Amino acid sequence: MTHTHTHTHTHTHTHSLHSGCRTTLSYLLLVSCQVALLICFLCVHCTNGWPSWAAFQFFEVVALWFFVAFLIFFIMHLFRLQERMPCISWPLTEFFHYSVGAVLIFIASIVAAVKCGGVSALVVSSVFGFIATFLMAVNLWTSYSVACGPQPGASV
């Protein structure tokens, strides 16, 4: 008497990473803004002898705060976590965060540029602050036009 065993294995792989996210303009702007903010923070943090302690402490805190916040948004988009929390309006949340971030980084960059005292690392930090402000403004404009633009099928 021979026994034949047949095993059937069904494996379903669900990819939790949002693979289409890597090619979008929003993704590239978000990563570029994160890099610029990280450079801002590191240039200020690693410099000794700030000409104006309060100004660069503000700049350092603002740059680090928005770096962490954008990192959280990046991780949420990468793993599609916003789909699991439908009670929050994510386009509105991101719009609000980018607008506040652009204004605060712009103010901090102006103050840093005025108070840098010729210290090259602080000059670089303020320049990257202006770059981050520009990237946030572009991302704000593109996300606003996507979130609040004309909807498909709507009559004009």
Side-chain angles (χ1 to χ4, degrees):
M1 182 181 234
T2 60
H3 294 288
T4 308
H5 294 288
T6 307
H7 295 286
T8 338
H9 296 286
T10 306
H11 294 287
T12 57
H13 296 286
T14 57
H15 298 288
S16 60
L17 291 179
H18 188 197
S19 60
C21 185
R22 289 178 284 204
T23 59
T24 63
L25 177 64
S26 178
Y27 171 81
L28 295 174
L29 288 171
L30 188 60
V31 170
S32 301
C33 189
Q34 287 175 339
V35 169
L37 287 172
L38 183 62
I39 291 171
C40 288
F41 172 75
L42 290 176
C43 284
V44 171
H45 188 73
C46 295
T47 301
N48 294 327
W50 295 343
S52 174
W53 187 84
F56 287 101
Q57 189 70 31
F58 171 71
F59 187 80
E60 186 178 38
V61 167
V62 168
L64 184 62
W65 169 257
F66 285 102
F67 172 76
V68 170
F70 293 147
L71 186 63
I72 291 170
F73 283 143
F74 174 73
I75 290 169
M76 290 189 70
H77 281 294
L78 194 62
F79 291 104
R80 296 181 183 185
L81 296 176
Q82 72 272 15
E83 294 172 1
R84 296 183 184 148
M85 293 180 271
C87 59
I88 298 173
S89 172
W90 289 108
L92 184 61
T93 302
E94 288 183 14
F95 178 79
F96 177 72
H97 204 312
Y98 278 117
S99 22
V100 170
V103 168
L104 288 178
I105 292 292
F106 184 66
I107 291 169
S109 298
I110 289 173
V111 171
V114 169
K115 302 279 188 174
C116 69
V119 179
S120 60
L122 300 178
V123 172
V124 169
S125 181
S126 66
V127 167
F128 274 97
F130 286 120
I131 291 171
T133 300
F134 174 74
L135 292 171
M136 280 187 255
V138 170
N139 202 350
L140 179 67
W141 181 69
T142 58
S143 68
Y144 178 73
S145 65
V146 167
C148 300
Q151 300 298 322
S155 62
V156 180

